[in-house]
Amino acid sequence: MVLPRRARDREAARAVQELRPWIERRLRALAAASAAVHGPDGTVPYLSDTLWLEPQRGRSRVHRVGERLLVPAAEPGPAIERWYRRRARAEVEPRVRDAATALSVSPGPLTIRSQRTRWGSCAPSGALSFNWRLLLAPESVLDYVVWHEVCHLAVLDHSAQFWELVAQHFPDHREQSRWLRRFGTALSVAPWESRESRVAA
């Protein structure tokens, strides 16, 4: 709850009471989205895979071995996020390169960010940025966001021409966009946070 500085606590309590049905609906929707996105306890999603967390004492960096993710035994969250950020660049860069080649456009610098609500962006300069949390989504969702932003290198706005270009190269873009609208809020919550104490035990 964000209030003006001079607002009183009782005003906040009254607002929460009035909004309680909406708040409870949103919490139920978030819980359902999280359950749909995240696998069993002790796992994290990675594109279309499910990786099992394996805590190891003395480890400081995360390392993937097949379907296992070797993580620090104590407080693995920050190390896991750093691993996802590194992997995001490795996953996004070749996709951007391939899409840009197909469109005959030249992308600018690529950055990996940690926005809570934006999945990607394209600046007028051609600089592209992508949210590392896209790696928590199915692979087709990441592919769609990459195509969406690379198409902006050719058409910067969201005009009919832009959407025609997206559809030409990524026909099921609407399905992936719907997935993000429905489940994107669950990607904003680190999937290991609710399990961290169990993973670290």
Side-chain angles (χ1 to χ4, degrees):
M1 171 72 67
V2 179
L3 296 171
R5 288 188 178 207
R6 297 182 181 180
R8 299 177 180 177
D9 289 347
R10 66 172 177 267
E11 293 173 353
R14 185 164 55 247
V16 168
Q17 188 61 34
E18 291 174 1
L19 293 171
R20 183 175 299 279
W22 178 86
I23 292 171
E24 291 175 348
R25 284 196 304 274
R26 291 294 300 156
L27 289 174
R28 286 194 299 270
L30 179 58
S34 182
V37 169
H38 303 144
D41 281 354
T43 69
V44 290
Y46 182 88
L47 296 177
S48 299
D49 294 331
T50 298
L51 304 181
W52 290 87
L53 300 178
E54 186 174 310
Q56 294 184 337
R57 298 186 187 281
R59 174 171 289 281
S60 60
R61 286 173 61 92
V62 172
H63 180 65
R64 179 177 178 178
V65 179
E67 300 307 307
R68 296 179 299 140
L69 204 60
L70 312 182
V71 301
E75 299 183 7
I80 293 174
E81 179 174 333
R82 288 192 297 272
W83 181 80
Y84 269 102
R85 285 175 177 268
R86 291 193 302 272
R87 291 305 309 158
R89 179 170 291 278
E91 294 284 358
V92 168
E93 278 185 337
R95 286 172 164 85
V96 166
R97 186 169 56 248
D98 291 347
T101 298
L103 290 176
S104 299
V105 294
S106 299
L110 172 68
T111 57
I112 302 299
R113 299 181 181 252
S114 186
Q115 309 100 312
R116 286 290 171 179
T117 56
R118 295 193 73 174
W119 304 113
S121 65
C122 175
S125 65
L128 300 173
S129 71
F130 295 90
N131 194 319
W132 67 264
R133 291 179 177 84
L134 286 166
L135 269 63
L136 303 172
E139 189 168 6
S140 56
V141 172
L142 173 61
D143 290 337
Y144 157 65
V145 174
V146 167
W147 270 105
H148 183 115
E149 300 308 333
V150 173
C151 283
H152 275 312
L153 294 172
V155 183
L156 196 55
D157 56 29
H158 284 104
S159 62
Q161 180 187 4
F162 168 79
W163 288 113
E164 287 171 7
L165 186 62
V166 173
Q168 178 183 346
H169 293 277
F170 206 90
D172 69 340
H173 66 93
R174 288 187 178 87
E175 180 182 345
Q176 311 311 322
S177 181
R178 281 194 297 270
W179 193 98
L180 273 176
R181 285 196 301 273
R182 183 175 181 187
F183 299 113
T185 52
L187 304 184
S188 297
V189 179
W192 53 84
E193 287 178 349
S194 61
R195 326 180 165 128
E196 188 166 321
S197 59
R198 278 171 286 188
V199 172

